[in-house]
Amino acid sequence: MQRLQAFKYELMPDGEQQRNMRRFAGSCRFVFNKALALQQAHYAEGKKKLSYADLCKHLTEWRKSSETQWLSETHSQPLQQTLKDLERAYQNFFEKRADFPRFKKKGQSDNFRYPQGCKLDQGNSRIFLPKLGWVRYRNCREVLGVVKNVTVSGKQGKWFVSIQTEREIEAPVHPSTAIVGIDMGIARFATLSDGSYFAPLNSFKRQENALVKAQRAKSRKQKFSNNWKKAKAKVQKIHARIGNARRDYLHKATTTISQNHAMVCIEDLQVRKLSKSAAGTTETPGKNVRAKSGLNKAILDQGWFEFRRQLDYKLAWNGGQLVAVPPRNTSRTCPCCGHVANENRLSQARFECVNCGFEENADLVGAINVLRAGHARLACADTSPAVGASGQEPTEATQAIAA
Ligand SMILES: [Zn+2]
């Protein structure tokens, strides 16, 4: 089977390379925003959406126009890749996977991608990037496979390179035959049908006060002053710390689960829908907006979407499989007698069957029911595909988690 994998390293560019990278990233952002504005103008006039090819023609004009001639200092391929990104952002929107594409802000997405033309010299820990030249990187592990494309990104003054590769590997056979169901929750991040569970992450909550304090301090400072810059760096640092803690936690949890179980059943919750519905619309404001937005925040905080994404590819890498089951009555069905009733669920935490009196932790009941639904799905359709078990490591679905 084919395995796509990304390898990320910190770059060690010289001053000129840094200036160029900042400029390239800025040009890409400019092109993205200009193309998005153009699409919106077209839509407002009732015209058809421009295709990628149309946008590329516009890009050629912009590179020639005297006003935006500086764009021609950036390699054309990363600029075209930006247009591809916009195309995909629209696609994700049309297929209801993401919000409408947003304009990019400086410092938010300082990156650009080369589809080809990069040369990797692992022996000397350097990579050749078109129009930048050879850039050294911190070589911490070997790159495996054929280089497909290369993304350069900047974050808090540091520059990174992510090398996407492709290689043929033997289809792995999972060492375990265990199958497990998982219930995702607020009180417990994930409950497994074998009774074990993962505590809530709440990394954001723990750091929330610190963040609010830092943001307040920043708002009191004179904008663009030295103190303001210091305060801004502090805010960014806390954000980064929260992100790192969350990533670390999720990776540990998904690695453990995917190593111990060949098959994992999980509710096919649409995370986006959950987090969306609370606010409602101006005509029909959502009920319990406050309570729900708390819940939604917790969902986003805990990164259910990311959890599922990681489980999916890690299972596939180990020769396992992720099975998504429709979330029907999983929290209201008695695993003992099969009785379905709202009254079975006494509270968020407790389950008690009104028919047979079976009592258990509500999350564990959910996990057991998810496992049963998974078994049923496998039994009735041997060919039921896993949720995109493609052996890929898809890029982090930021649009789903970004609040
Ligand atoms: Zn019962």
Side-chain angles (χ1 to χ4, degrees):
M1 63 186 272
Q2 290 245 307
R3 178 178 288 186
L4 300 177
Q5 192 174 359
F7 298 84
K8 195 171 179 180
Y9 305 94
E10 188 184 340
L11 287 171
M12 292 182 287
D14 62 31
E16 197 193 340
Q17 285 169 334
Q18 282 186 46
R19 278 191 296 281
N20 280 333
M21 290 196 286
R22 269 199 297 276
R23 194 163 61 208
F24 292 2
S27 296
C28 284
R29 186 171 53 240
F30 178 86
V31 164
F32 183 94
N33 288 342
K34 203 166 164 69
L36 178 54
L38 193 66
Q39 291 283 29
Q40 288 183 347
H42 261 246
Y43 180 77
E45 289 167 22
K47 285 194 230 160
K48 232 183 111 204
K49 188 177 148 282
L50 293 162
S51 69
Y52 168 69
D54 294 332
L55 290 175
C56 282
K57 273 179 213 152
H58 279 281
L59 175 59
T60 311
E61 281 167 32
W62 297 336
R63 280 163 66 90
K64 280 182 198 154
S65 142
S66 55
E67 267 173 64
T68 49
Q69 210 186 7
W70 46 271
L71 283 176
S72 60
E73 286 168 23
T74 300
H75 198 282
S76 61
Q77 283 181 345
L79 297 176
Q80 287 163 358
Q81 292 291 309
T82 298
L83 296 178
K84 279 219 167 119
D85 290 344
L86 178 63
E87 190 70 15
R88 199 174 55 182
Y90 264 99
Q91 204 63 37
N92 285 339
F93 168 69
F94 289 138
E95 285 167 18
K96 298 193 166 51
R97 282 192 299 260
D99 283 329
F100 191 77
R102 265 178 269 187
F103 288 100
K104 289 187 176 178
K105 284 187 203 155
K106 192 177 174 186
Q108 230 170 37
S109 50
D110 288 334
N111 59 59
F112 52 96
R113 185 170 69 242
Y114 294 102
Q116 59 190 56
C118 301
K119 273 178 274 186
L120 189 60
D121 178 5
Q122 298 200 59
N124 292 310
S125 302
R126 58 182 196 160
I127 184 166
F128 180 83
L129 303 168
K131 283 220 175 190
L132 285 169
W134 288 102
V135 188
R136 303 204 319 118
Y137 66 90
R138 284 187 205 283
N139 194 349
C140 49
R141 62 167 171 163
E142 195 191 347
V143 174
L144 305 170
V146 181
V147 177
K148 298 302 286 179
N149 62 60
V150 171
T151 303
V152 176
S153 60
K155 207 173 182 186
Q156 283 150 29
K158 285 182 180 171
W159 288 93
F160 301 89
V161 65
S162 178
I163 304 167
Q164 183 80 48
T165 69
E166 191 180 270
R167 69 184 190 277
E168 197 63 38
I169 56 154
E170 244 175 81
V173 178
H174 203 286
S176 160
T177 52
I179 169 165
V180 76
I182 298 184
D183 184 77
M184 310 297 294
I186 299 294
R188 293 168 168 187
F189 176 67
T191 306
L192 275 59
S193 54
D194 61 12
S196 62
Y197 63 90
F198 291 85
L201 175 54
N202 284 347
S203 72
F204 194 74
K205 257 183 209 153
R206 252 182 281 142
Q207 305 267 6
E208 203 173 37
N209 292 335
L211 187 67
V212 168
K213 239 171 99 182
Q215 278 167 336
R216 245 183 237 146
K218 185 187 139 202
S219 70
R220 280 195 299 266
K221 305 283 185 285
Q222 174 102 40
K223 217 169 178 183
F224 305 120
S225 67
N226 276 335
N227 281 331
W228 179 82
K229 280 177 195 157
K230 266 186 228 159
K232 192 179 162 198
K234 191 161 183 193
V235 169
Q236 286 176 333
K237 208 168 167 186
I238 296 171
H239 268 301
R241 206 184 298 149
I242 292 168
N244 288 341
R246 174 159 52 193
R247 249 189 306 282
D248 190 51
Y249 181 91
L250 289 176
H251 271 299
K252 277 184 185 148
T254 52
T255 298
T256 308
I257 295 171
S258 61
Q259 278 172 351
N260 295 337
H261 306 276
M263 202 165 281
V264 176
C265 306
I266 195 164
E267 263 186 335
D268 199 2
L269 284 177
Q270 285 182 303
V271 178
R272 282 200 55 75
K273 227 179 222 169
L274 280 174
S275 59
K276 253 304 173 37
S277 57
T281 58
T282 36
E283 293 86 45
T284 53
K287 283 179 195 166
N288 297 326
V289 168
R290 264 184 74 179
K292 270 195 188 165
S293 65
L295 176 79
N296 292 327
K297 209 166 145 233
I299 292 166
L300 292 170
D301 190 14
Q302 298 188 333
W304 288 359
F305 193 92
E306 179 62 13
F307 176 78
R308 219 187 104 158
R309 186 190 75 83
Q310 290 181 8
L311 261 188
D312 190 10
Y313 82 76
K314 285 184 185 177
L315 279 163
W317 280 13
N318 289 334
Q321 196 184 9
L322 185 71
V323 180
V325 300
R328 272 201 61 181
N329 296 332
T330 44
S331 62
R332 306 186 300 141
T333 308
C334 172
C336 206
C337 69
H339 186 69
V340 181
N342 267 336
E343 293 72 35
N344 281 351
R345 185 137 189 187
L346 290 177
S347 65
Q348 199 64 30
R350 214 54 213 160
F351 182 98
E352 191 184 328
C353 179
V354 289
N355 186 41
C356 74
F358 174 82
E359 257 189 275
E360 192 43 89
N361 174 289
D363 293 328
L364 179 55
V365 167
I368 292 169
N369 285 326
V370 167
L371 175 63
R372 291 199 172 171
H375 270 302
R377 234 197 110 167
L378 291 169
C380 70
D382 256 356
T383 49
S384 72
V387 204
S390 48
Q392 292 190 12
E393 181 192 35
T395 46
E396 223 166 287
T398 39
Q399 72 271 21
I401 303 168

